[in-house]
Amino acid sequence: MFNDFKITENRPIYIQLKEYLKRMITNGHLIENQKLPSTRELSSLLSISRNTVLTAYADLEQEGLIYAVKGKGNFVSRVETFKSLSIQLNWTDKVNEQTLLADELDLKKHGMRWNKEFISFNSIAPDEKLFDVGNFKRAFLNRMSMEGDIVLNYGYAKGYQPLIEYLLHYMEIKGVDTRNKDILITNGFTEGLDLILSSLTKKNGRVLCENPTNDSALKLFRLHGFEIDGIEMDNDGVNIRQLETLLSKKEYDFAYLIPSYHNPTGIVTSSQKRKEIMDLFSAYQLPIIENGFNEELRYSGSHLASLASFAGQGNNVIYISSFSKILFPGLRVGWILADKELINFLESMKRARTIHTSTLDQAVLYQYLNDGYFEKYLKKAKSVYKRKHELTVHYCQQFIPFKRLTGDGGLHLFIELEDHIDARKLLEKCYQKGVVFLPGNIFHTDNSGHHTLRLGFSRLTEREIIDGIKIIGDTLKNNYGG
Amino acid sequence: MFNDFKITENRPIYIQLKEYLKRMITNGHLIENQKLPSTRELSSLLSISRNTVLTAYADLEQEGLIYAVKGKGNFVSRVETFKSLSIQLNWTDKVNEQTLLADELDLKKHGMRWNKEFISFNSIAPDEKLFDVGNFKRAFLNRMSMEGDIVLNYGYAKGYQPLIEYLLHYMEIKGVDTRNKDILITNGFTEGLDLILSSLTKKNGRVLCENPTNDSALKLFRLHGFEIDGIEMDNDGVNIRQLETLLSKKEYDFAYLIPSYHNPTGIVTSSQKRKEIMDLFSAYQLPIIENGFNEELRYSGSHLASLASFAGQGNNVIYISSFSKILFPGLRVGWILADKELINFLESMKRARTIHTSTLDQAVLYQYLNDGYFEKYLKKAKSVYKRKHELTVHYCQQFIPFKRLTGDGGLHLFIELEDHIDARKLLEKCYQKGVVFLPGNIFHTDNSGHHTLRLGFSRLTEREIIDGIKIIGDTLKNNYGG
């Protein structure tokens, strides 16, 4: 007995001993009224200090797990450990259709597995080598020293007030008329979209979006039971004629659009087209959910206003964004900017479902933004990503026989191959050579796009980008000629 | 022009200048091709260094908002600011029934307002004066130095692996058979419950719980459209006879129970009763959602195993808990321990809805727990809360003419007054004297309990507790005799 007690590093030993004994008691290996070794015996047996044993015993006594008898020693208390008749429910039978669908649509579960030696074009997450850990620590310590008790305590469903004010100002600078608007802080972009979808009446049960569009939004539309109509993408944004036709033929609840550095195509909707879109939706009195996504990752070209700016005093644009995509995805902080009335409703839904977003995350992010670290980080990140973007474009043009290549900025490119090429089959072949990418049909509303693929380059080195593209190009040529 | 530029402290001035100019451009106050003052002029006009102006101009040029003409100066670029026809949607018409209900049930919106001078018995949040800010900082810096890039990057929907392992071990020590169980990390207890309710089929659409029970759970049951049957509370837990009768009469989807330091009654379900409950639910093959809530806040008495422990190898208990209620509510970290099959489904729902819980929160919490700070904090917190608990019980017994007083530990007591007393009317009168508490009927499944109230004492000083109870007692005596 006690010879299976193993000490692990970096954790107080008295806690380890206490937990070890507690486990022996709760699982019945030490039984009621059994005498424990004296503190002296146990300290010698386990080669630990007697004080450690004393502290562990005192804690166990305080927790009611052992009792001391003066002059006699320590004994195990009565601990009910009787087990009920153990029953086995079949949980697959107990969960609903939506949950089964969530499981089925879960790409992380069903996607290809690869190891760290692979060149993976799957990710469009920021490059962790760029992470500004030093200034992040500074922002944390700054904020904690100012109001550590507030940072660690309950916050408000709407969000951390200094961050809300910062973001309202941030949107104003971008040209958004914020007078009758408000902000709700969410656990990243995804919770924002989910809250909105949970709150809007499914009057027609139909949504318009770009085709292709980002997979996490598609998944949420499907989970919420929406019928999805996708609009084809020209090189300057959605095809307006197709949009007009659809709007005139069917009734929609809203549109979901990503005007800047669209995911997955990387297309930036032109200013002219933004105006046309807004005019159409105003005429049809329809809301637009605008995904602000990588709006900040503009490498060149003129300033482009968000749809929320074009809306002016109008209230039909619901703008969702997040800095996580560029900055720190480990912090789950996003925001919704929308009409005050709508934000007021979403606030109650948010409170009911997750109380509020981590105050710690919000407060440190606020400090980081306010101290100007984000500006500096963005400059550095943009110069690195710009270089990777140019490199990826250059090598794709050189090695991949594509029909169409899009991506004006951001962290990925989108490639359309000749119609007869199946990107999934290409992926299987590239996989054997240690290269993976995302086949484009997962982004399509109608399961089309079998001949398309997305290349995320943000986390790859320049060497990996070049090698990876060459391998994809070679595989294409070897299998389909070229 | 430029004379309304105001510098605020603690933010780089070049960013403030850049934002100021950007706003002037995006809102049309500076127009296309307009010449900007030279850097020398502007620095003198605003009394800031010329370098600051140079940096701001360079950034604006990089963002495409201004352009430089050699030898001539800086000019405003073309920025589309045309506004679309601004339309006004009525969002109250656009949101669904569930959202209107969430708004209606939102106690934070409709509750009484009070100011900081008030003695408020409303809260059962931890006392921020106890917050262990120093060790929290230490845990943060520790974790960041070990793996800052991981902490700041995307994590997994299931949670941060070291924390999951820690919690599995933690539950094992409590006597839970974890062999076929798994853990999902959630944004606090509330997201955990919401995910479970979203995933289980509403086969009968009916749930059993203690009456009263905690208001956030009640709200979620209502939002998910469940019919709620409450079981009366004896002093050692639910009335078993009533439970048996209900189970034999109607079909339920599951029960929701808070066996330790029940909210709002503070009752601890006895070991004997825990076994009876488990036996009954095993016989009826029904799941139990167990709220682990303030399980750690045991001030005296013998060790009590959770229902999850009693279940043994059985898989019908879904255990939800969180340290936030005791430790740092600003960190939104909770967890669900349940059958592996169920956790696998919940993981996909979690991924679809919020991707994952903040890695930062999880990683710092893990470090704090692993370094043994939680144990130390808990000891200190327990001794403070124990004293407040005893004090509250003592003064309630002395000053409040109650019919029943419950609360064996935790951070609150529950009082049942004589039937003819309306706690809401009492509250109105106490409010005039600067004391507030929560009327008990908000916790009841059937809108009963008009003569009950909950007193949370965690955040009050001893002086405030005594004064507040005296005021409630006096108000009762003056209005209802005594």
Side-chain angles (χ1 to χ4, degrees):
Chain A
M1 196 164 259
F2 305 120
N3 55 9
D4 58 343
F5 176 65
K6 298 241 166 10
I7 294 172
T8 59
E9 261 184 288
N10 296 322
R11 185 159 162 81
I13 298 171
Y14 85 91
I15 294 179
Q16 297 188 49
L17 177 61
K18 175 183 152 186
E19 289 180 345
Y20 171 80
L21 293 170
K22 185 169 174 178
R23 194 169 174 179
M24 301 262 284
I25 296 168
T26 57
N27 70 14
H29 284 124
L30 286 170
I31 56 169
E32 195 180 338
N33 299 325
Q34 185 172 342
K35 189 174 185 301
L36 291 171
S38 73
T39 53
R40 204 178 298 271
E41 281 164 2
L42 199 56
S43 82
S44 135
L45 187 67
L46 303 177
S47 311
I48 55 181
S49 89
R50 199 174 152 215
N51 261 335
T52 303
V53 183
L54 278 166
T55 314
Y57 277 14
D59 273 21
L60 288 168
E61 192 179 349
Q62 210 282 323
E63 287 194 29
L65 287 156
I66 66 172
Y67 62 93
V69 179
K70 221 176 169 180
K72 292 203 167 169
N74 292 291
F75 299 84
V76 177
S77 299
R78 176 177 178 79
V79 172
E80 302 285 8
T81 53
F82 46 55
K83 300 288 180 244
S84 183
L85 198 79
S86 88
I87 63 161
Q88 298 298 325
L89 301 175
N90 182 340
W91 286 104
T92 308
D93 288 349
K94 294 250 171 218
V95 299
N96 53 29
E97 286 298 318
Q98 198 199 18
T99 309
L100 294 172
L101 187 60
D103 180 59
E104 188 191 320
L105 298 177
D106 194 332
L107 294 174
K108 290 266 172 193
K109 280 185 184 168
H110 309 300
M112 247 170 195
R113 310 262 160 219
W114 71 92
N115 62 42
K116 288 198 171 169
E117 264 95 81
F118 269 58
I119 298 176
S120 167
F121 288 97
N122 288 13
S123 178
I124 56 168
D127 185 352
E128 65 262 35
K129 287 190 285 295
L130 288 175
F131 283 168
D132 184 17
V133 176
N135 285 327
F136 184 79
K137 278 188 196 168
R138 241 163 247 131
F140 168 86
L141 292 171
N142 244 332
R143 201 72 219 156
M144 286 299 286
S145 68
M146 275 187 269
E147 47 172 29
D149 52 343
I150 289 176
V151 169
L152 297 178
N153 214 334
Y154 277 116
Y156 299 96
K158 254 188 76 187
Y160 179 65
Q161 196 55 32
L163 182 62
I164 291 176
E165 279 160 25
Y166 184 95
L167 292 172
L168 276 171
H169 179 67
Y170 184 79
M171 296 306 289
E172 260 172 55
I173 291 164
K174 287 188 177 219
V176 175
D177 186 330
T178 61
R179 275 173 293 179
N180 281 304
K181 312 280 194 319
D182 207 344
I183 277 180
L184 176 75
I185 305 288
T186 59
N187 297 321
F189 163 81
T190 308
E191 192 200 31
L193 183 59
D194 187 46
L195 278 174
I196 294 165
L197 298 183
S198 302
S199 296
L200 295 182
T201 311
K202 257 185 292 179
K203 214 175 148 191
N204 306 294
R206 206 177 290 121
V207 50
L208 268 175
C209 64
E210 290 125 346
N211 190 26
T213 190
N214 68 310
D215 53 316
S216 60
L218 267 186
K219 182 161 69 173
L220 281 175
F221 296 146
R222 287 178 178 139
L223 289 180
H224 283 276
F226 282 98
E227 195 182 307
I228 308 163
D229 280 352
I231 313 155
E232 270 170 43
M233 297 287 283
D234 296 337
N235 284 344
D236 63 345
V238 289
N239 183 303
I240 290 285
R241 206 168 309 162
Q242 209 188 330
L243 175 61
E244 279 182 310
T245 312
L246 283 171
L247 281 171
S248 68
K249 272 196 193 155
K250 298 195 212 170
E251 297 207 42
Y252 294 92
D253 288 334
F254 59 86
Y256 166 75
L257 298 171
I258 317 171
S260 291
Y261 310 113
H262 177 264
N263 183 8
T265 67
I267 288 170
V268 177
T269 300
S270 68
S271 211
Q272 179 55 35
K273 200 158 254 185
R274 287 176 195 230
K275 176 149 188 351
E276 286 170 26
I277 291 169
M278 284 306 296
D279 286 345
L280 264 172
F281 280 86
S282 296
Y284 281 92
Q285 301 266 317
L286 276 181
I288 297 175
I289 300 174
E290 177 179 17
N291 180 346
F293 189 55
N294 282 342
E295 201 168 280
E296 328 304 328
L297 285 184
R298 182 193 155 284
Y299 305 140
S300 59
S302 62
H303 172 82
L304 273 174
S306 61
L307 297 180
S309 307
F310 280 108
Q313 288 187 52
N315 73 354
N316 65 326
V317 176
I318 307 169
Y319 180 92
I320 321 179
S321 197
S322 150
F323 293 123
S324 311
K325 300 278 195 292
I326 316 168
L327 207 52
F328 309 121
L331 271 67
R332 306 301 304 148
V333 182
W335 76 90
I336 305 174
L337 173 106
D339 186 77
K340 270 188 178 156
E341 195 186 11
L342 178 61
I343 291 294
N344 183 50
F345 284 120
L346 296 175
E347 178 192 348
S348 287
M349 284 293 272
K350 165 86 183 165
R351 183 174 284 122
R353 290 165 58 158
T354 59
I355 311 284
H356 64 74
T357 293
S358 161
T359 318
L360 175 68
D361 287 24
Q362 293 183 74
V364 181
L365 179 62
Y366 162 72
Q367 193 68 40
Y368 188 88
L369 293 168
N370 192 61
D371 288 351
Y373 298 136
F374 178 65
E375 287 277 339
K376 278 186 211 153
Y377 174 81
L378 195 57
K379 269 188 220 175
K380 187 177 137 203
K382 280 210 273 195
S383 82
V384 173
Y385 292 139
K386 184 177 188 226
R387 165 105 187 105
K388 288 188 183 179
H389 176 260
E390 286 165 355
L391 198 79
T392 313
V393 171
H394 177 81
Y395 280 87
C396 280
Q397 282 169 338
Q398 198 173 340
F399 291 102
I400 296 182
F402 54 79
K403 213 169 84 182
R404 186 191 189 197
L405 173 83
T406 52
D408 297 332
L411 306 173
H412 59 272
L413 294 181
F414 198 69
I415 287 175
E416 209 176 307
L417 301 165
E418 295 298 331
D419 286 359
H420 66 283
I421 301 174
D422 184 334
R424 283 190 181 274
K425 289 195 179 135
L426 175 66
L427 172 60
E428 279 167 29
K429 294 198 171 77
C430 290
Y431 181 85
Q432 287 161 14
K433 296 174 189 163
V435 174
V436 290
F437 52 78
L438 286 184
N441 77 322
I442 60 167
F443 300 103
H444 282 73
T445 58
D446 47 5
N447 204 25
S448 66
H450 68 279
H451 61 307
T452 62
L453 55 114
R454 190 186 76 179
L455 297 183
F457 50 76
S458 49
R459 297 176 77 174
L460 297 176
T461 63
E462 301 192 352
R463 189 70 258 157
E464 288 171 324
I465 291 173
I466 299 169
D467 290 349
I469 292 172
K470 277 184 182 166
I471 288 169
I472 297 171
D474 284 349
T475 313
L476 268 167
K477 281 166 206 155
N478 293 338
N479 289 279
Y480 301 93
Chain B
M1 197 162 254
F2 305 121
N3 54 9
D4 59 341
F5 177 65
K6 298 241 169 6
I7 294 171
T8 58
E9 261 185 290
N10 298 321
R11 185 159 162 81
I13 299 172
Y14 85 91
I15 294 179
Q16 297 188 49
L17 177 60
K18 175 183 151 186
E19 289 180 344
Y20 171 80
L21 293 169
K22 185 169 173 179
R23 194 168 174 180
M24 302 263 282
I25 295 168
T26 57
N27 69 14
H29 284 124
L30 288 170
I31 56 170
E32 194 180 339
N33 298 326
Q34 186 172 342
K35 189 175 185 303
L36 291 171
S38 73
T39 52
R40 204 178 298 272
E41 280 164 3
L42 198 55
S43 81
S44 136
L45 187 69
L46 303 176
S47 310
I48 53 180
S49 88
R50 196 170 155 220
N51 261 336
T52 302
V53 183
L54 279 166
T55 314
Y57 277 14
D59 275 20
L60 288 167
E61 191 179 350
Q62 209 281 322
E63 286 194 29
L65 288 155
I66 66 173
Y67 62 94
V69 180
K70 221 175 170 180
K72 290 202 170 171
N74 292 290
F75 299 84
V76 177
S77 299
R78 179 179 174 78
V79 171
E80 302 283 9
T81 52
F82 45 55
K83 300 291 181 243
S84 182
L85 199 81
S86 89
I87 62 159
Q88 298 298 325
L89 301 176
N90 181 341
W91 286 104
T92 308
D93 287 349
K94 294 251 172 217
V95 298
N96 54 28
E97 287 297 318
Q98 199 199 20
T99 308
L100 294 172
L101 187 61
D103 180 58
E104 188 192 318
L105 298 177
D106 193 331
L107 294 174
K108 290 265 172 197
K109 279 185 185 169
H110 309 300
M112 247 170 195
R113 309 262 160 216
W114 71 93
N115 61 43
K116 287 198 172 171
E117 265 94 80
F118 269 58
I119 298 176
S120 167
F121 288 97
N122 288 15
S123 179
I124 56 168
D127 185 352
E128 65 261 36
K129 288 189 285 293
L130 288 175
F131 284 167
D132 185 17
V133 176
N135 284 328
F136 183 79
K137 278 188 196 169
R138 241 163 249 132
F140 168 86
L141 293 171
N142 243 332
R143 201 72 218 157
M144 286 299 286
S145 68
M146 275 187 269
E147 46 171 31
D149 52 341
I150 288 175
V151 169
L152 297 178
N153 215 333
Y154 277 116
Y156 298 96
K158 253 189 76 186
Y160 179 65
Q161 196 55 33
L163 182 63
I164 291 177
E165 278 160 25
Y166 184 95
L167 292 172
L168 276 170
H169 179 66
Y170 184 79
M171 295 306 289
E172 261 172 52
I173 291 164
K174 287 188 178 221
V176 175
D177 187 329
T178 62
R179 275 173 292 179
N180 282 303
K181 312 280 192 322
D182 208 344
I183 277 181
L184 176 75
I185 306 289
T186 59
N187 296 320
F189 164 81
T190 309
E191 193 200 32
L193 183 59
D194 187 45
L195 278 174
I196 294 164
L197 298 183
S198 302
S199 297
L200 294 182
T201 311
K202 258 186 293 181
K203 214 175 148 194
N204 306 293
R206 207 176 290 120
V207 50
L208 267 174
C209 63
E210 291 124 346
N211 190 24
T213 190
N214 68 310
D215 53 315
S216 60
L218 267 186
K219 181 160 72 174
L220 280 175
F221 296 145
R222 287 179 178 138
L223 289 180
H224 283 276
F226 281 99
E227 196 182 307
I228 307 162
D229 280 351
I231 314 154
E232 270 170 44
M233 296 288 283
D234 296 337
N235 285 345
D236 65 344
V238 288
N239 183 301
I240 290 285
R241 205 168 309 163
Q242 209 188 331
L243 175 61
E244 279 182 310
T245 311
L246 283 171
L247 282 171
S248 67
K249 272 195 192 156
K250 298 194 211 169
E251 297 208 42
Y252 294 92
D253 288 334
F254 58 86
Y256 167 74
L257 298 171
I258 317 171
S260 291
Y261 310 113
H262 176 264
N263 183 8
T265 67
I267 288 170
V268 177
T269 301
S270 69
S271 210
Q272 180 54 36
K273 201 157 254 186
R274 288 175 194 231
K275 173 142 187 358
E276 286 170 28
I277 291 168
M278 285 306 298
D279 286 346
L280 264 172
F281 280 85
S282 296
Y284 280 92
Q285 300 267 316
L286 277 181
I288 296 176
I289 300 175
E290 177 179 18
N291 180 347
F293 190 56
N294 283 342
E295 201 168 279
E296 327 305 329
L297 285 184
R298 182 194 155 283
Y299 305 140
S300 60
S302 62
H303 172 83
L304 274 174
S306 61
L307 298 179
S309 308
F310 280 108
Q313 288 187 55
N315 72 353
N316 65 327
V317 175
I318 308 170
Y319 179 93
I320 321 179
S321 198
S322 150
F323 292 121
S324 311
K325 301 279 196 290
I326 317 167
L327 206 52
F328 310 121
L331 271 68
R332 306 300 305 146
V333 183
W335 77 90
I336 304 173
L337 173 107
D339 185 77
K340 270 189 179 155
E341 195 186 11
L342 179 61
I343 292 292
N344 183 48
F345 284 120
L346 295 176
E347 178 192 348
S348 286
M349 285 293 272
K350 164 88 184 164
R351 184 174 284 122
R353 289 166 58 158
T354 59
I355 311 282
H356 64 74
T357 294
S358 161
T359 318
L360 174 68
D361 287 23
Q362 294 182 72
V364 181
L365 179 62
Y366 162 71
Q367 194 67 40
Y368 188 89
L369 293 168
N370 191 62
D371 287 352
Y373 299 135
F374 178 65
E375 288 277 340
K376 278 185 211 154
Y377 174 80
L378 196 56
K379 268 188 221 175
K380 186 177 137 204
K382 279 209 276 195
S383 82
V384 172
Y385 292 140
K386 185 180 186 223
R387 165 106 188 105
K388 288 188 184 182
H389 176 260
E390 287 165 355
L391 198 79
T392 314
V393 171
H394 177 79
Y395 280 87
C396 281
Q397 281 167 340
Q398 197 173 341
F399 291 102
I400 297 182
F402 56 77
K403 213 169 85 180
R404 187 191 189 197
L405 173 82
T406 51
D408 297 332
L411 306 174
H412 60 271
L413 294 182
F414 198 68
I415 287 176
E416 210 176 307
L417 301 165
E418 295 299 331
D419 285 359
H420 65 284
I421 302 174
D422 184 334
R424 281 189 183 273
K425 287 194 182 137
L426 175 67
L427 172 60
E428 279 167 30
K429 295 200 171 74
C430 291
Y431 181 84
Q432 288 161 15
K433 295 175 188 162
V435 174
V436 290
F437 52 79
L438 286 184
N441 78 321
I442 61 167
F443 300 104
H444 282 73
T445 58
D446 48 5
N447 205 26
S448 65
H450 67 280
H451 60 306
T452 62
L453 55 112
R454 190 187 76 180
L455 297 183
F457 50 75
S458 49
R459 297 175 77 174
L460 297 176
T461 63
E462 301 193 352
R463 189 69 258 159
E464 288 171 324
I465 290 173
I466 299 170
D467 291 348
I469 292 172
K470 278 185 182 166
I471 288 170
I472 298 172
D474 285 348
T475 313
L476 268 168
K477 280 167 207 155
N478 293 338
N479 288 278
Y480 302 93

